[in-house]
Amino acid sequence: MITRIKKLASRLLPSNQYARSVSILAGGTITSQLLTIVATPFLSRLYTPADYGLLALFMALSGILATIITLQYETAVLLPKKEGDAIALVVLSIVVAIVIGLFFSVLAWIIYLIIRNIKVIPSPSAWLFVTILTAIGGSIIATTIGWLNRKCAYKKITQVRIGQAVASVIISILLGWIGISSGLIIAQIIGVLVGLLLISFQLMPLLKGGVGVSLHVLFKVASEHQAAPKYLLPTALLDVVTLQLPIFFISAWFSTETAGQFSLAWRLLALPITLIGSAVGQVFFQRFAQAWPDVIEARNLLFKTWVSLSLVGILPMLFVMIYGDIFFIILFGDAWVESGVIASVIAPMVFAMLISSPTSSIFLVLGLQKYSLFFGLSVLIYRSGSLYFGIIVNNLYLGLTIWVILEILQIILFNLMALRRMNKPEMASFFSLKGQNE
C-alpha cells in the first residue's frame, strides 16, 4: 500500500529536494497511521464499542483544547527571518500553552468543587483534568515539530510520529489483554509522554538558547504575530470543532457505544484521506501555485489530480457501500456490525472528501479565503442539524444520510466556485501583472 501511494504521489512530485522532504514526511504519517490500523482488528476484540466511544470523546476534547491553548502561535514559527525571533515564538507558544492549560485545569477543578454535591448536574470526571494535561503535552509536541520543520529535520519529525504510534499500539494491546477498559485512553496518554521524551532531545538545547529571551522579546513577537490569535485561532477552532462535532452529538444524543461505532467507521474510511492527502496535497499546492495564472495548465493539473484520486477511491467506496457490514464483522468482530452499516452510509461522502481535500488549497491560490468562514459555518450548521434530525426521528442512519448529501453538495459548490473564478480572464491577467511587478 505504501508503495502504491508513493507511486501516486510521484506522478505529481517534482524530482528535487522538496519531493524527498515531502516523501519523508508522508512516509512517517503513513507508517504511524498504518500501525494503528493494523492493530485495530486485535484491539476491537479487546475493547468494546463503548471503550472506543470514550477514546473518541477524549481525543476530540484534547484536540479542541490543544487548538486553543497555544493561541495558534506555533503556526508562526516558520515565518521569522531571524533565528532568535523563531526561538522566541517557540518559547512563547510553550509558555502560553502551559499557562492557559493550567488555567483550564484550575477552572475545571473549581467547577467540580461547586457542582459535586448537586445531584442534577454531572460532575467533571478525573479524565477531564488528564485531558487538559494531554492537550498541553500535545501542544508542546506540535510546537517543537514546527521548529523541526523550520530546520528541515524531517527524519526527526518522522521518528517522533512513529515512536508515538508504536508506544500507543503496544500499550493498548497490553492493557486490553489484561482487561483494563480504559487502556485505549491510557495508551494515548503514554503516546504523548513518549512524544515529549523524543522531542526533549531537540527541545532542551532550544530552550537553553531561549533562556535569555526576555518578557519584552516575548511581547514583541506576540505583537508581531498577533494575526495568529486574531484570525487563525477562530478558523482553526471552527475547523476542529466541526470535525469533532459528530462524536459529541452522537455520544450525547444516542450513546457512547454508538459514538464508538461511528468513530471506528470514520477512522478506517478517512485513512485514505490522511495518507493520500499528506502525500499529494502539499505537492499539489506547490505545483498549482507555480502553474497559476496559466489557466489551461492549472485546470489540467486540477482535473488530472481529481481523476487520479477518483480512480484510487471508486472501487473501495463501492465495496464498502455494498459489503460494509459483512466486512466489518470479519475484520473487527461481531460487535462492530453497526460500524459497518455506518461506514456504508458515509462512504460516498468520504469518497468526495478524498477527491476534494488534497486540492482544497486552490482557494488560497485564487484568493478565495474570505469564503472559508462561510463554508466553515455552514458545515457546523448542517452537521449538527442533520444529527439532531436523526435524534428527533430516532434514526441515526437517516441523520447520517442527510449529512452525507449536504456534505457532497457543499464540496461540489466549493469546487464550482473555484472553477468559476479560474474561468474569469481578468483573474489570470491580474495575477500575471502582479507577478511581473514583483
Side-chain angles (χ1 to χ4, degrees):
M1 180 180 287
I2 295 177
T3 304
R4 291 180 180 178
I5 293 172
K6 287 185 175 179
K7 285 182 178 179
L8 173 65
S10 66
R11 297 175 185 174
L12 297 174
L13 282 171
S15 301
N16 53 23
Q17 182 61 40
Y18 177 82
R20 287 190 290 273
S21 300
V22 172
S23 180
I24 291 172
L25 287 175
T29 302
I30 291 170
T31 304
S32 60
Q33 292 289 333
L34 286 181
L35 282 171
T36 304
I37 293 300
V38 169
T40 301
F42 302 98
L43 295 175
S44 64
R45 289 168 170 82
L46 297 175
Y47 297 95
T48 67
D51 296 332
Y52 268 90
L54 290 175
L55 173 67
L57 286 171
F58 178 84
M59 296 298 293
L61 184 56
S62 63
I64 292 172
L65 289 172
T67 302
I68 296 173
I69 60 179
T70 61
L71 302 181
Q72 292 294 294
Y73 275 119
E74 84 282 1
T75 61
V77 170
L78 290 168
L79 301 180
K81 301 294 183 183
K82 297 180 180 179
E83 198 80 346
D85 288 345
I87 293 175
L89 269 174
V90 173
V91 175
L92 175 67
S93 300
I94 293 175
V95 170
V96 168
I98 293 174
V99 171
I100 297 180
L102 292 178
F103 169 77
F104 280 140
S105 298
V106 172
L107 183 62
W109 180 253
I110 293 174
I111 293 174
Y112 168 76
L113 293 177
I114 294 175
I115 68 175
R116 63 177 176 175
N117 295 322
I118 304 177
K119 303 300 182 182
V120 180
I121 305 175
S123 300
S125 68
W127 286 118
L128 177 59
F129 307 106
V130 179
T131 303
I132 297 172
L133 295 177
T134 304
I136 295 175
S139 298
I140 295 173
I141 294 173
T143 300
T144 309
I145 285 179
W147 169 260
L148 294 175
N149 192 15
R150 177 185 176 91
K151 305 299 290 183
C152 300
Y154 303 119
K155 289 185 179 179
K156 293 177 181 177
I157 295 175
T158 298
Q159 291 169 0
V160 172
R161 289 174 175 168
I162 294 177
Q164 287 186 270
V166 170
S168 295
V169 166
I170 292 176
I171 297 301
S172 295
I173 293 175
L174 289 177
L175 295 181
W177 188 266
I178 62 178
I180 298 179
S181 61
S182 56
L184 291 170
I185 297 178
I186 296 173
Q188 289 298 320
I189 297 169
I190 293 176
V192 171
L193 294 176
V194 169
L196 287 172
L197 177 63
L198 292 174
I199 60 104
S200 65
F201 298 105
Q202 313 300 324
L203 188 60
M204 293 309 296
L206 178 61
L207 292 180
K208 287 180 180 178
V211 169
V213 176
S214 63
L215 284 176
H216 171 73
V217 174
L218 292 181
F219 281 116
K220 172 178 168 290
V221 294
S223 177
E224 290 175 351
H225 298 279
Q226 59 183 298
K230 277 187 178 180
Y231 305 112
L232 295 182
L233 178 58
T235 303
L237 185 58
L238 179 63
D239 288 344
V240 71
V241 168
T242 302
L243 181 65
Q244 304 296 348
L245 201 63
I247 294 296
F248 290 114
F249 283 171
I250 292 174
S251 178
W253 293 342
F254 292 93
S255 68
T256 304
E257 182 175 352
T258 304
Q261 299 276 3
F262 172 84
S263 174
L264 183 64
W266 178 261
R267 286 174 60 191
L268 187 66
L269 265 63
L271 182 64
I273 300 177
T274 303
L275 301 186
I276 298 175
S278 64
V280 175
Q282 294 181 32
V283 181
F284 172 83
F285 188 9
Q286 186 251 2
R287 292 200 63 185
F288 188 86
Q290 286 183 343
W292 186 255
D294 187 326
V295 176
I296 295 177
E297 184 180 354
R299 283 171 60 90
N300 286 341
L301 177 62
L302 180 62
F303 287 127
K304 174 186 174 183
T305 306
W306 281 348
V307 170
S308 298
L309 293 172
S310 298
L311 293 176
V312 169
I314 185 66
L315 291 180
M317 178 199 68
L318 293 175
F319 177 82
V320 172
M321 288 181 66
I322 299 171
Y323 301 109
D325 52 347
I326 300 174
F327 176 68
F328 270 67
I329 290 176
I330 295 173
L331 195 59
F332 303 120
D334 294 339
W336 297 96
V337 60
E338 185 179 0
S339 186
V341 177
I342 292 174
S344 66
V345 173
I346 65 175
M349 175 180 69
V350 176
F351 174 67
M353 290 177 172
L354 171 65
I355 297 172
S356 177
S357 179
T359 63
S360 60
S361 54
I362 56 179
F363 253 50
L364 296 175
V365 180
L366 299 176
L368 296 172
Q369 300 95 316
K370 62 182 179 181
Y371 297 105
S372 298
L373 182 60
F374 164 76
F375 281 108
L377 290 174
S378 65
V379 171
L380 184 66
I381 293 171
Y382 69 68
R383 283 188 182 181
S384 56
S386 300
L387 293 174
Y388 185 66
F389 181 78
I391 189 63
I392 291 177
V393 299
N394 195 29
N395 190 331
L396 173 63
Y397 302 127
L398 180 58
L400 289 175
T401 301
I402 295 173
W403 171 16
V404 168
I405 294 171
L406 293 176
E407 191 85 29
I408 293 174
L409 290 175
Q410 183 266 143
I411 290 173
I412 293 173
L413 177 61
F414 179 94
N415 288 291
L416 285 177
M417 183 179 294
L419 288 174
R420 182 181 178 187
R421 179 61 64 95
M422 289 175 63
N423 289 332
K424 289 185 178 180
E426 63 272 16
M427 280 297 298
S429 61
F430 168 77
F431 280 96
S432 179
L433 289 173
K434 183 179 178 183
Q436 293 175 9
N437 292 334
E438 292 174 351

Short mmCIF file of all heavy atoms in Angstrom, two decimals, residues 131-189:
data_model
loop_
_atom_site.label_atom_id
_atom_site.label_comp_id
_atom_site.label_asym_id
_atom_site.label_seq_id
_atom_site.Cartn_x
_atom_site.Cartn_y
_atom_site.Cartn_z
N THR A 131 -7.22 15.04 30.40
CA THR A 131 -7.38 15.51 29.02
C THR A 131 -6.69 16.85 28.82
O THR A 131 -6.01 17.07 27.80
CB THR A 131 -8.88 15.65 28.67
OG1 THR A 131 -9.53 14.40 28.87
CG2 THR A 131 -9.06 16.08 27.23
N ILE A 132 -6.83 17.74 29.78
CA ILE A 132 -6.19 19.06 29.69
C ILE A 132 -4.68 18.92 29.69
O ILE A 132 -3.98 19.55 28.89
CB ILE A 132 -6.66 19.97 30.84
CG1 ILE A 132 -8.17 20.22 30.74
CG2 ILE A 132 -5.90 21.29 30.82
CD1 ILE A 132 -8.76 20.95 31.93
N LEU A 133 -4.16 18.07 30.58
CA LEU A 133 -2.70 17.86 30.63
C LEU A 133 -2.21 17.22 29.33
O LEU A 133 -1.12 17.55 28.85
CB LEU A 133 -2.34 16.98 31.83
CG LEU A 133 -2.64 17.58 33.21
CD1 LEU A 133 -2.30 16.57 34.31
CD2 LEU A 133 -1.84 18.86 33.41
N THR A 134 -3.00 16.31 28.78
CA THR A 134 -2.63 15.70 27.50
C THR A 134 -2.60 16.74 26.39
O THR A 134 -1.72 16.71 25.51
CB THR A 134 -3.62 14.58 27.14
OG1 THR A 134 -3.67 13.62 28.20
CG2 THR A 134 -3.22 13.88 25.85
N ALA A 135 -3.56 17.67 26.42
CA ALA A 135 -3.59 18.74 25.41
C ALA A 135 -2.35 19.62 25.52
O ALA A 135 -1.78 20.05 24.50
CB ALA A 135 -4.85 19.58 25.59
N ILE A 136 -1.91 19.89 26.75
CA ILE A 136 -0.68 20.69 26.95
C ILE A 136 0.51 19.95 26.33
O ILE A 136 1.32 20.55 25.60
CB ILE A 136 -0.44 20.96 28.45
CG1 ILE A 136 -1.55 21.83 29.02
CG2 ILE A 136 0.92 21.62 28.65
CD1 ILE A 136 -1.45 22.04 30.53
N GLY A 137 0.62 18.65 26.63
CA GLY A 137 1.72 17.87 26.07
C GLY A 137 1.67 17.84 24.55
O GLY A 137 2.70 17.99 23.88
N GLY A 138 0.47 17.65 23.99
CA GLY A 138 0.32 17.63 22.54
C GLY A 138 0.70 18.96 21.91
O GLY A 138 1.30 19.00 20.82
N SER A 139 0.38 20.07 22.59
CA SER A 139 0.72 21.39 22.07
C SER A 139 2.23 21.61 22.07
O SER A 139 2.77 22.20 21.13
CB SER A 139 0.05 22.47 22.93
OG SER A 139 -1.35 22.36 22.87
N ILE A 140 2.90 21.13 23.11
CA ILE A 140 4.37 21.26 23.16
C ILE A 140 5.00 20.46 22.03
O ILE A 140 5.95 20.91 21.37
CB ILE A 140 4.90 20.79 24.53
CG1 ILE A 140 4.40 21.74 25.63
CG2 ILE A 140 6.42 20.74 24.54
CD1 ILE A 140 4.73 21.29 27.04
N ILE A 141 4.47 19.25 21.78
CA ILE A 141 4.99 18.43 20.68
C ILE A 141 4.77 19.13 19.34
O ILE A 141 5.67 19.21 18.49
CB ILE A 141 4.31 17.05 20.68
CG1 ILE A 141 4.71 16.26 21.93
CG2 ILE A 141 4.67 16.27 19.42
CD1 ILE A 141 3.96 14.97 22.10
N ALA A 142 3.55 19.67 19.13
CA ALA A 142 3.24 20.35 17.87
C ALA A 142 4.13 21.56 17.65
O ALA A 142 4.60 21.83 16.53
CB ALA A 142 1.77 20.77 17.85
N THR A 143 4.41 22.29 18.72
CA THR A 143 5.28 23.47 18.62
C THR A 143 6.70 23.07 18.24
O THR A 143 7.32 23.69 17.36
CB THR A 143 5.30 24.23 19.96
OG1 THR A 143 3.97 24.65 20.29
CG2 THR A 143 6.19 25.46 19.86
N THR A 144 7.20 22.03 18.89
CA THR A 144 8.56 21.57 18.59
C THR A 144 8.66 21.00 17.18
O THR A 144 9.67 21.20 16.49
CB THR A 144 9.01 20.52 19.61
OG1 THR A 144 8.78 21.02 20.93
CG2 THR A 144 10.49 20.21 19.45
N ILE A 145 7.63 20.32 16.73
CA ILE A 145 7.62 19.81 15.36
C ILE A 145 7.64 20.97 14.36
O ILE A 145 8.29 20.90 13.31
CB ILE A 145 6.40 18.90 15.13
CG1 ILE A 145 6.63 17.56 15.81
CG2 ILE A 145 6.12 18.71 13.65
CD1 ILE A 145 5.50 16.58 15.67
N GLY A 146 6.96 22.08 14.71
CA GLY A 146 7.04 23.27 13.88
C GLY A 146 8.47 23.79 13.77
O GLY A 146 8.92 24.21 12.70
N TRP A 147 9.20 23.73 14.89
CA TRP A 147 10.60 24.15 14.88
C TRP A 147 11.44 23.19 14.04
O TRP A 147 12.29 23.63 13.24
CB TRP A 147 11.14 24.20 16.31
CG TRP A 147 12.62 24.36 16.38
CD1 TRP A 147 13.56 23.40 16.60
CD2 TRP A 147 13.35 25.58 16.20
NE1 TRP A 147 14.82 23.92 16.58
CE2 TRP A 147 14.73 25.26 16.32
CE3 TRP A 147 12.98 26.89 15.95
CZ2 TRP A 147 15.72 26.22 16.20
CZ3 TRP A 147 13.98 27.85 15.83
CH2 TRP A 147 15.32 27.52 15.96
N LEU A 148 11.22 21.88 14.19
CA LEU A 148 11.96 20.90 13.41
C LEU A 148 11.66 21.06 11.92
O LEU A 148 12.54 20.87 11.07
CB LEU A 148 11.60 19.48 13.86
CG LEU A 148 12.03 19.10 15.28
CD1 LEU A 148 11.51 17.71 15.64
CD2 LEU A 148 13.55 19.15 15.42
N ASN A 149 10.43 21.43 11.60
CA ASN A 149 10.08 21.70 10.21
C ASN A 149 10.86 22.89 9.67
O ASN A 149 11.34 22.89 8.53
CB ASN A 149 8.58 21.96 10.11
CG ASN A 149 8.08 21.95 8.68
OD1 ASN A 149 8.77 21.48 7.77
ND2 ASN A 149 6.89 22.47 8.46
N ARG A 150 11.01 23.92 10.50
CA ARG A 150 11.80 25.09 10.10
C ARG A 150 13.25 24.70 9.83
O ARG A 150 13.88 25.22 8.90
CB ARG A 150 11.74 26.14 11.22
CG ARG A 150 12.58 27.39 10.95
CD ARG A 150 12.58 28.32 12.15
NE ARG A 150 13.46 29.45 11.93
CZ ARG A 150 13.11 30.62 11.38
NH1 ARG A 150 11.86 30.80 11.01
NH2 ARG A 150 13.98 31.58 11.21
N LYS A 151 13.77 23.77 10.63
CA LYS A 151 15.16 23.33 10.48
C LYS A 151 15.31 22.20 9.45
O LYS A 151 16.40 21.67 9.28
CB LYS A 151 15.70 22.84 11.83
CG LYS A 151 15.57 23.85 12.97
CD LYS A 151 16.34 25.12 12.70
CE LYS A 151 17.82 24.93 12.74
NZ LYS A 151 18.56 26.20 12.55
N CYS A 152 14.19 21.88 8.76
CA CYS A 152 14.20 20.81 7.75
C CYS A 152 14.62 19.46 8.34
O CYS A 152 15.21 18.61 7.64
CB CYS A 152 15.11 21.17 6.57
SG CYS A 152 14.61 22.68 5.72
N ALA A 153 14.33 19.25 9.62
CA ALA A 153 14.68 17.98 10.30
C ALA A 153 13.51 17.00 10.14
O ALA A 153 12.88 16.58 11.12
CB ALA A 153 14.99 18.25 11.76
N TYR A 154 13.24 16.61 8.89
CA TYR A 154 12.07 15.81 8.60
C TYR A 154 12.17 14.39 9.15
O TYR A 154 11.17 13.80 9.55
CB TYR A 154 11.83 15.78 7.08
CG TYR A 154 11.67 17.15 6.49
CD1 TYR A 154 12.55 17.62 5.51
CD2 TYR A 154 10.65 18.00 6.91
CE1 TYR A 154 12.40 18.89 4.97
CE2 TYR A 154 10.51 19.26 6.38
CZ TYR A 154 11.39 19.71 5.41
OH TYR A 154 11.25 20.96 4.90
N LYS A 155 13.37 13.84 9.17
CA LYS A 155 13.54 12.49 9.72
C LYS A 155 13.22 12.46 11.21
O LYS A 155 12.65 11.49 11.71
CB LYS A 155 14.96 12.00 9.47
CG LYS A 155 15.26 11.67 8.01
CD LYS A 155 16.64 11.08 7.84
CE LYS A 155 16.91 10.73 6.38
NZ LYS A 155 18.27 10.16 6.18
N LYS A 156 13.58 13.52 11.92
CA LYS A 156 13.28 13.58 13.35
C LYS A 156 11.78 13.70 13.59
O LYS A 156 11.25 13.12 14.54
CB LYS A 156 14.03 14.76 13.98
CG LYS A 156 15.54 14.56 13.98
CD LYS A 156 16.27 15.76 14.54
CE LYS A 156 17.79 15.53 14.51
NZ LYS A 156 18.55 16.70 14.99
N ILE A 157 11.10 14.45 12.73
CA ILE A 157 9.64 14.55 12.84
C ILE A 157 9.02 13.17 12.65
O ILE A 157 8.12 12.76 13.39
CB ILE A 157 9.09 15.54 11.80
CG1 ILE A 157 9.59 16.96 12.09
CG2 ILE A 157 7.56 15.51 11.79
CD1 ILE A 157 9.19 17.97 11.03
N THR A 158 9.52 12.45 11.65
CA THR A 158 9.02 11.11 11.37
C THR A 158 9.25 10.18 12.55
O THR A 158 8.39 9.37 12.91
CB THR A 158 9.70 10.55 10.11
OG1 THR A 158 9.38 11.37 8.99
CG2 THR A 158 9.26 9.13 9.83
N GLN A 159 10.43 10.27 13.17
CA GLN A 159 10.74 9.43 14.32
C GLN A 159 9.79 9.68 15.48
O GLN A 159 9.35 8.74 16.15
CB GLN A 159 12.19 9.68 14.76
CG GLN A 159 13.23 9.17 13.78
CD GLN A 159 14.64 9.66 14.09
OE1 GLN A 159 14.84 10.40 15.06
NE2 GLN A 159 15.60 9.27 13.27
N VAL A 160 9.44 10.94 15.71
CA VAL A 160 8.51 11.27 16.79
C VAL A 160 7.14 10.66 16.51
O VAL A 160 6.53 10.03 17.39
CB VAL A 160 8.40 12.80 16.94
CG1 VAL A 160 7.27 13.15 17.93
CG2 VAL A 160 9.71 13.39 17.43
N ARG A 161 6.64 10.82 15.29
CA ARG A 161 5.31 10.30 14.96
C ARG A 161 5.25 8.79 15.05
O ARG A 161 4.30 8.22 15.59
CB ARG A 161 4.92 10.78 13.56
CG ARG A 161 4.61 12.27 13.49
CD ARG A 161 4.36 12.73 12.08
NE ARG A 161 3.96 14.14 12.04
CZ ARG A 161 3.89 14.88 10.94
NH1 ARG A 161 4.20 14.34 9.77
NH2 ARG A 161 3.51 16.14 11.00
N ILE A 162 6.27 8.13 14.51
CA ILE A 162 6.28 6.66 14.56
C ILE A 162 6.46 6.18 16.00
O ILE A 162 5.81 5.21 16.42
CB ILE A 162 7.39 6.11 13.64
CG1 ILE A 162 7.07 6.42 12.18
CG2 ILE A 162 7.54 4.60 13.84
CD1 ILE A 162 8.14 5.98 11.20
N GLY A 163 7.32 6.85 16.76
CA GLY A 163 7.52 6.48 18.16
C GLY A 163 6.23 6.57 18.96
O GLY A 163 5.93 5.67 19.77
N GLN A 164 5.46 7.64 18.75
CA GLN A 164 4.18 7.77 19.44
C GLN A 164 3.23 6.65 19.06
O GLN A 164 2.54 6.09 19.92
CB GLN A 164 3.55 9.13 19.11
CG GLN A 164 4.22 10.31 19.77
CD GLN A 164 3.45 11.59 19.52
OE1 GLN A 164 3.70 12.29 18.53
NE2 GLN A 164 2.52 11.91 20.40
N ALA A 165 3.17 6.35 17.76
CA ALA A 165 2.25 5.31 17.29
C ALA A 165 2.62 3.95 17.86
O ALA A 165 1.75 3.18 18.32
CB ALA A 165 2.25 5.28 15.77
N VAL A 166 3.90 3.61 17.84
CA VAL A 166 4.36 2.32 18.36
C VAL A 166 4.02 2.19 19.85
O VAL A 166 3.51 1.16 20.29
CB VAL A 166 5.87 2.15 18.12
CG1 VAL A 166 6.40 0.94 18.88
CG2 VAL A 166 6.17 2.01 16.64
N ALA A 167 4.31 3.24 20.61
CA ALA A 167 4.03 3.20 22.04
C ALA A 167 2.54 3.03 22.32
O ALA A 167 2.14 2.21 23.16
CB ALA A 167 4.55 4.48 22.71
N SER A 168 1.72 3.79 21.60
CA SER A 168 0.27 3.71 21.81
C SER A 168 -0.27 2.32 21.48
O SER A 168 -1.09 1.77 22.22
CB SER A 168 -0.44 4.77 20.96
OG SER A 168 -0.09 6.07 21.37
N VAL A 169 0.18 1.76 20.36
CA VAL A 169 -0.32 0.44 19.95
C VAL A 169 0.09 -0.63 20.95
O VAL A 169 -0.74 -1.46 21.38
CB VAL A 169 0.22 0.11 18.54
CG1 VAL A 169 0.00 -1.37 18.22
CG2 VAL A 169 -0.48 0.97 17.49
N ILE A 170 1.36 -0.65 21.34
CA ILE A 170 1.84 -1.68 22.27
C ILE A 170 1.12 -1.60 23.61
O ILE A 170 0.65 -2.62 24.15
CB ILE A 170 3.37 -1.55 22.47
CG1 ILE A 170 4.09 -1.91 21.16
CG2 ILE A 170 3.84 -2.46 23.60
CD1 ILE A 170 5.59 -1.72 21.23
N ILE A 171 1.00 -0.39 24.16
CA ILE A 171 0.33 -0.23 25.46
C ILE A 171 -1.15 -0.58 25.35
O ILE A 171 -1.71 -1.21 26.26
CB ILE A 171 0.51 1.21 25.97
CG1 ILE A 171 1.99 1.52 26.21
CG2 ILE A 171 -0.27 1.42 27.27
CD1 ILE A 171 2.67 0.60 27.21
N SER A 172 -1.79 -0.21 24.26
CA SER A 172 -3.21 -0.54 24.07
C SER A 172 -3.43 -2.04 24.10
O SER A 172 -4.36 -2.54 24.76
CB SER A 172 -3.72 0.03 22.73
OG SER A 172 -3.69 1.42 22.71
N ILE A 173 -2.59 -2.77 23.38
CA ILE A 173 -2.73 -4.23 23.32
C ILE A 173 -2.47 -4.85 24.70
O ILE A 173 -3.22 -5.72 25.16
CB ILE A 173 -1.78 -4.81 22.26
CG1 ILE A 173 -2.23 -4.37 20.87
CG2 ILE A 173 -1.75 -6.34 22.34
CD1 ILE A 173 -1.30 -4.80 19.75
N LEU A 174 -1.41 -4.41 25.36
CA LEU A 174 -1.07 -4.98 26.68
C LEU A 174 -2.17 -4.74 27.69
O LEU A 174 -2.59 -5.66 28.42
CB LEU A 174 0.26 -4.39 27.17
CG LEU A 174 1.53 -4.84 26.43
CD1 LEU A 174 2.74 -4.11 26.97
CD2 LEU A 174 1.71 -6.34 26.54
N LEU A 175 -2.67 -3.49 27.77
CA LEU A 175 -3.70 -3.17 28.76
C LEU A 175 -5.03 -3.84 28.41
O LEU A 175 -5.76 -4.26 29.31
CB LEU A 175 -3.88 -1.65 28.84
CG LEU A 175 -2.67 -0.87 29.37
CD1 LEU A 175 -2.98 0.62 29.44
CD2 LEU A 175 -2.26 -1.38 30.76
N GLY A 176 -5.32 -3.94 27.12
CA GLY A 176 -6.54 -4.65 26.73
C GLY A 176 -6.45 -6.13 27.04
O GLY A 176 -7.45 -6.76 27.43
N TRP A 177 -5.27 -6.69 26.89
CA TRP A 177 -5.07 -8.12 27.15
C TRP A 177 -5.32 -8.46 28.62
O TRP A 177 -5.86 -9.54 28.92
CB TRP A 177 -3.65 -8.51 26.76
CG TRP A 177 -3.38 -9.98 26.81
CD1 TRP A 177 -2.84 -10.68 27.86
CD2 TRP A 177 -3.65 -10.93 25.79
NE1 TRP A 177 -2.75 -12.01 27.54
CE2 TRP A 177 -3.24 -12.20 26.28
CE3 TRP A 177 -4.20 -10.84 24.51
CZ2 TRP A 177 -3.37 -13.36 25.52
CZ3 TRP A 177 -4.32 -12.00 23.76
CH2 TRP A 177 -3.91 -13.23 24.26
N ILE A 178 -4.96 -7.53 29.51
CA ILE A 178 -5.16 -7.81 30.94
C ILE A 178 -6.51 -7.28 31.44
O ILE A 178 -6.80 -7.35 32.63
CB ILE A 178 -4.02 -7.23 31.79
CG1 ILE A 178 -3.95 -5.71 31.65
CG2 ILE A 178 -2.70 -7.85 31.41
CD1 ILE A 178 -2.85 -5.07 32.51
N GLY A 179 -7.31 -6.71 30.51
CA GLY A 179 -8.68 -6.37 30.84
C GLY A 179 -8.93 -4.99 31.40
O GLY A 179 -9.93 -4.77 32.08
N ILE A 180 -8.06 -4.03 31.13
CA ILE A 180 -8.27 -2.64 31.59
C ILE A 180 -9.06 -1.89 30.53
O ILE A 180 -8.56 -1.62 29.43
CB ILE A 180 -6.93 -1.94 31.87
CG1 ILE A 180 -6.18 -2.68 32.98
CG2 ILE A 180 -7.15 -0.48 32.25
CD1 ILE A 180 -4.82 -2.10 33.30
N SER A 181 -10.31 -1.57 30.82
CA SER A 181 -11.20 -0.98 29.82
C SER A 181 -10.76 0.40 29.36
O SER A 181 -11.05 0.82 28.24
CB SER A 181 -12.63 -0.90 30.37
OG SER A 181 -12.67 -0.08 31.53
N SER A 182 -10.05 1.14 30.22
CA SER A 182 -9.58 2.47 29.86
C SER A 182 -8.19 2.43 29.23
O SER A 182 -7.53 3.46 29.11
CB SER A 182 -9.54 3.38 31.09
OG SER A 182 -8.75 2.81 32.12
N GLY A 183 -7.77 1.25 28.77
CA GLY A 183 -6.44 1.09 28.21
C GLY A 183 -6.19 1.92 26.97
O GLY A 183 -5.06 2.38 26.74
N LEU A 184 -7.23 2.16 26.16
CA LEU A 184 -7.06 2.96 24.94
C LEU A 184 -6.67 4.40 25.29
O LEU A 184 -5.79 4.99 24.65
CB LEU A 184 -8.35 2.94 24.12
CG LEU A 184 -8.72 1.61 23.46
CD1 LEU A 184 -10.12 1.68 22.89
CD2 LEU A 184 -7.72 1.24 22.37
N ILE A 185 -7.33 4.95 26.31
CA ILE A 185 -7.04 6.32 26.72
C ILE A 185 -5.65 6.39 27.37
O ILE A 185 -4.87 7.31 27.09
CB ILE A 185 -8.12 6.85 27.68
CG1 ILE A 185 -9.47 6.91 26.97
CG2 ILE A 185 -7.73 8.22 28.23
CD1 ILE A 185 -10.61 7.36 27.86
N ILE A 186 -5.36 5.42 28.24
CA ILE A 186 -4.05 5.40 28.89
C ILE A 186 -2.94 5.31 27.84
O ILE A 186 -1.90 5.96 27.94
CB ILE A 186 -3.96 4.23 29.88
CG1 ILE A 186 -4.97 4.43 31.02
CG2 ILE A 186 -2.56 4.09 30.44
CD1 ILE A 186 -5.08 3.25 31.96
N ALA A 187 -3.17 4.51 26.81
CA ALA A 187 -2.17 4.36 25.75
C ALA A 187 -1.94 5.66 25.01
O ALA A 187 -0.80 5.98 24.63
CB ALA A 187 -2.62 3.27 24.77
N GLN A 188 -3.01 6.43 24.78
CA GLN A 188 -2.86 7.73 24.12
C GLN A 188 -2.02 8.68 24.98
O GLN A 188 -1.18 9.42 24.49
CB GLN A 188 -4.23 8.35 23.84
CG GLN A 188 -5.01 7.66 22.74
CD GLN A 188 -4.32 7.72 21.40
OE1 GLN A 188 -3.73 8.74 21.04
NE2 GLN A 188 -4.39 6.63 20.64
N ILE A 189 -2.28 8.63 26.30
CA ILE A 189 -1.51 9.48 27.22
C ILE A 189 -0.03 9.10 27.20
O ILE A 189 0.85 9.97 27.13
CB ILE A 189 -2.09 9.37 28.65
CG1 ILE A 189 -3.53 9.89 28.68
CG2 ILE A 189 -1.22 10.13 29.65
CD1 ILE A 189 -4.26 9.56 29.96
#
